[in-house]
Amino acid sequence: MNPCEVSWFSALCDDDYEFLGVPDPRLKSSWEHCRDIVLQAETGGFDNILLPSGYQLGIDTTAFAAAIAPMLRRMALLMAVRVGEAWPPQLARQIATIDRLLGGRLTVNIISSDMPGETLASAPRYRRTVEAMSILKTLLNGEHLSHDGEFWKLDVDPPRVGTVSGRAPLLYFGGLSPDAREAAAQGCDVYLMWPDRQEAVAAIIGDMRERAAKHGRTLRFGYRAHVIVRDTEAEARAYADRLLSKLDAQQGAAIRAKSLDAASAGVAAQAALRETAADDGYAEANLWTGVGRARSGCGAAIVGDPDQVLAKLEAYRAMGIEAFILSGYPHAAEADLFARHVLPRLDHAPLAR
């Protein structure tokens, strides 16, 4: 197998806790807190870090990426961009500029968002996302753009300042609905999945390979999950229980409901995984769904001792996963634990273009 990319997560969207669902002023989204998470991940040896984006939550992702980029010596950034809120030629210039600040190590997580205050139906929203990805790739590859699309009609030259490589960065994208899958098959480079039972993950990979092949393309695959690793499985499971020990069910529901993706097919699948798990919250060995009780989106964690967590990741790699985006609560402390217990035992490196 090729080396896998191992990324961490910086809590730009107010998503950091000591106890899930209990806000902590020390862990609130801020420049200082999110900066410290990124620097901890670089010190720990991670290859990349996801900078999430939510219009109503936390701090601005693009501004944060530009500020943190010159502080990093070797780690990449995976900058989330909400394409429904952006004019693609300007976004291309921002991406190229931040890639320059970072020395050529920028990757981009495409989010198929609405314009704030508006709601577009799923099918046209994902068609708009495909257009945006095509426009970005053309301009960031340094090519003239003549685009007569459903959502944008553009005839422009690329930005004068391009990326360090002269090519578009890798575009990561996730979504589980049929419309989202088709958009991914047509336009992204790395298809991201949230946790599920291994047989479900394998089925999604198979489906996406078939969809991409129909468009003459191939995809790479990424897996976004939380992780709790401790010296023993008993300690890891006890820490998982501790995370939920102060959760009020109504507060957890309110947290899930305020997310912009609360009604998506992916979130519904995470809820179904949680509802069909065993009484202790485990959907399968070492896959715990309790995180989803207090957050929307990715709702399960790999929980166990170092050997168990490593074995779980290696099993995903054998299925075709080449990139992992991991996180834990609190994010900086759990990054350190994963970096010490598991990361040195993985064959890992940034994804090659």
Side-chain angles (χ1 to χ4, degrees), residues 6-350:
V6 183
S7 303
W8 198 250
F9 178 95
S10 186
L12 272 68
C13 296
D14 287 324
D15 181 35
D16 203 1
Y17 300 100
E18 180 178 357
F19 297 95
L20 285 174
V22 181
D24 186 334
R26 300 170 303 158
L27 303 177
K28 188 175 181 179
S29 177
S30 67
W31 158 251
E32 293 82 6
H33 179 57
C34 296
R35 174 202 61 199
D36 290 349
I37 296 172
V38 173
L39 296 181
Q40 177 67 58
E42 169 146 291
T43 300
F46 289 88
D47 303 307
N48 203 342
I49 187 163
L50 173 60
L51 307 180
S53 177
Y55 172 73
Q56 296 173 329
L57 306 171
I59 59 178
D60 182 74
T61 306
T62 305
F64 180 88
I68 200 73
M71 299 184 181
L72 303 181
R73 302 183 306 278
R74 50 150 207 92
M75 190 172 66
L77 293 178
L78 177 53
M79 181 177 75
V81 297
R82 305 181 66 82
V83 297
E85 301 162 22
W87 186 59
Q90 175 63 14
L91 178 57
R93 186 170 70 160
Q94 291 170 333
I95 289 169
T97 300
I98 294 171
D99 182 77
R100 289 273 172 179
L101 293 172
L102 196 60
R105 304 190 304 277
L106 185 67
T107 53
V108 177
N109 178 199
I110 297 291
I111 300 175
S112 183
S113 68
D114 283 312
M115 182 72 72
E118 298 180 359
T119 301
L120 194 62
S122 173
R125 177 165 53 81
Y126 281 110
R127 291 199 303 270
R128 181 172 63 186
T129 302
V130 172
E131 276 194 41
M133 288 191 284
S134 176
I135 292 168
L136 290 174
K137 285 187 174 183
T138 299
L139 293 175
L140 290 167
N141 282 333
E143 302 167 5
H144 179 83
L145 175 71
S146 294
H147 179 83
D148 185 12
E150 180 181 358
F151 298 93
W152 292 285
K153 300 184 186 300
L154 301 166
D155 188 10
V156 294
D157 287 325
R160 182 183 64 81
V161 176
T163 62
V164 171
S165 69
R167 296 181 297 166
L170 291 173
L171 301 184
Y172 297 57
F173 176 84
L176 203 56
S177 69
D179 293 329
R181 295 189 192 206
E182 277 303 304
Q186 293 178 55
C188 79
D189 302 302
V190 183
Y191 178 73
L192 294 175
M193 288 172 280
W194 285 338
D196 210 329
R197 294 179 176 88
Q198 290 191 24
E199 62 269 22
V201 173
I204 293 169
I205 291 173
D207 176 66
M208 292 306 303
R209 282 177 171 158
E210 291 182 5
R211 289 175 186 266
K214 291 177 182 178
H215 296 282
R217 306 184 69 241
T218 58
L219 292 173
R220 303 165 89 171
F221 296 94
Y223 193 79
R224 165 88 180 96
H226 306 283
V227 63
I228 298 172
V229 60
R230 294 296 186 272
D231 288 328
T232 68
E233 181 181 14
E235 289 176 295
R237 291 174 70 109
Y239 187 79
D241 292 339
R242 180 183 183 274
L243 275 177
L244 290 181
S245 63
K246 297 185 180 182
L247 178 65
D248 175 86
Q250 290 185 335
Q251 175 67 9
I255 291 170
R256 296 195 302 272
K258 74 178 182 179
S259 173
L260 295 179
D261 64 358
S264 73
V267 170
Q270 292 294 282
L273 181 68
R274 187 169 64 253
E275 291 163 3
T276 57
D279 291 343
D280 60 4
Y282 285 80
E284 64 182 11
N286 304 109
L287 186 65
W288 178 64
T289 64
V291 176
R293 290 175 56 189
R295 76 185 308 277
S296 186
C298 174
I302 302 167
V303 177
D305 65 32
D307 290 340
Q308 291 170 321
V309 172
L310 179 65
K312 197 79 167 174
L313 296 174
E314 293 289 10
Y316 293 133
R317 290 184 67 199
M319 295 164 62
I321 300 294
E322 294 185 64
F324 295 98
I325 303 172
L326 305 174
S327 59
Y329 295 102
H331 291 302
E334 293 298 310
D336 177 62
L337 285 165
F338 185 88
R340 289 191 284 112
H341 284 299
V342 182
L343 190 57
R345 302 170 63 188
L346 278 168
D347 181 16
H348 70 96

